[in-house]
Amino acid sequence: NTGKARAMGFELESQFRVADGWKGHANYSYQDLKWSQAGAGTLSPRHKVNFGVQTDGNSRMEAAMMFHFVGSSQITSNGNPFLVNSYLRADSRLSYNFGSKKLPMALSFIVINLLDDKHMEYPVTTQPGDPVQSVPQRRTMYIGLRGQL
């Protein structure tokens, strides 16, 4: 750990009713990070916004749609700046609840990056001094089973 760092920021969050049986949430976060170490960039984006709607969970079927905006960020690798552009990602979930009150179960179908925009996320390095690497994020689908035994 060398140099000095400063971190400042804030976050706002709200939950609200959209319609009968639907609720929403929104949040915004801002952070300003500074390092005194020469050549260091900020990997953390300054602006992040999340917005989503979902059913209130009072029926067998549940649905959710979430949107995530992430501002651009930059890191310096071997003296070269590496820019990660801002992006908007959409995720969705559809679940079917079954079982009993004592043994609740849910089967879910989840899609991450629904729009398949192939955006770049956080770059990684395998060894200090190695070049920064990142790969486009693709649409990912999951089937999940959740329950209590």
Side-chain angles (χ1 to χ4, degrees):
N1 292 338
T2 61
K4 294 181 181 180
R6 176 183 60 88
M8 295 179 11
F10 66 90
E11 185 170 346
L12 303 171
E13 183 172 356
S14 178
Q15 294 183 0
F16 48 91
R17 179 155 302 283
V18 175
D20 193 33
W22 288 86
K23 59 186 175 182
H25 66 274
N27 88 340
Y28 169 78
S29 66
Y30 172 84
Q31 55 186 1
D32 183 20
L33 306 173
K34 301 281 188 212
W35 286 274
S36 65
Q37 184 178 352
T42 176
L43 178 58
S44 186
R46 285 184 183 225
H47 305 280
K48 297 179 195 170
V49 178
N50 296 292
F51 174 79
V53 292
Q54 65 186 51
T55 56
D56 61 13
N58 292 330
S59 67
R60 288 237 182 244
M61 293 297 295
E62 292 183 17
M65 186 73 190
M66 291 78 62
F67 298 93
H68 313 279
F69 170 78
V70 178
S72 63
S73 59
Q74 178 179 314
I75 189 168
T76 301
S77 174
N78 294 332
N80 299 314
F82 183 87
L83 178 67
V84 177
N85 291 320
S86 60
Y87 62 88
L88 176 67
R89 191 183 85 205
D91 302 335
S92 64
R93 177 180 47 82
L94 185 63
S95 297
Y96 176 72
N97 298 311
F98 61 98
S100 65
K101 293 261 188 205
K102 270 188 137 172
L103 299 171
M105 304 287 281
L107 181 63
S108 300
F109 179 66
I110 303 159
V111 182
I112 306 296
N113 195 15
L114 188 66
L115 304 175
D116 196 22
D117 65 353
K118 300 173 186 68
H119 65 271
M120 303 296 262
E121 285 192 12
Y122 303 105
V124 298
T125 57
T126 53
Q127 297 285 327
D130 282 355
V132 171
Q133 304 171 33
S134 186
V135 296
Q137 300 300 304
R138 300 297 311 264
R139 179 183 304 126
T140 307
M141 294 176 241
Y142 300 94
I143 295 176
L145 180 63
R146 179 184 73 227
Q148 294 178 335
L149 301 175

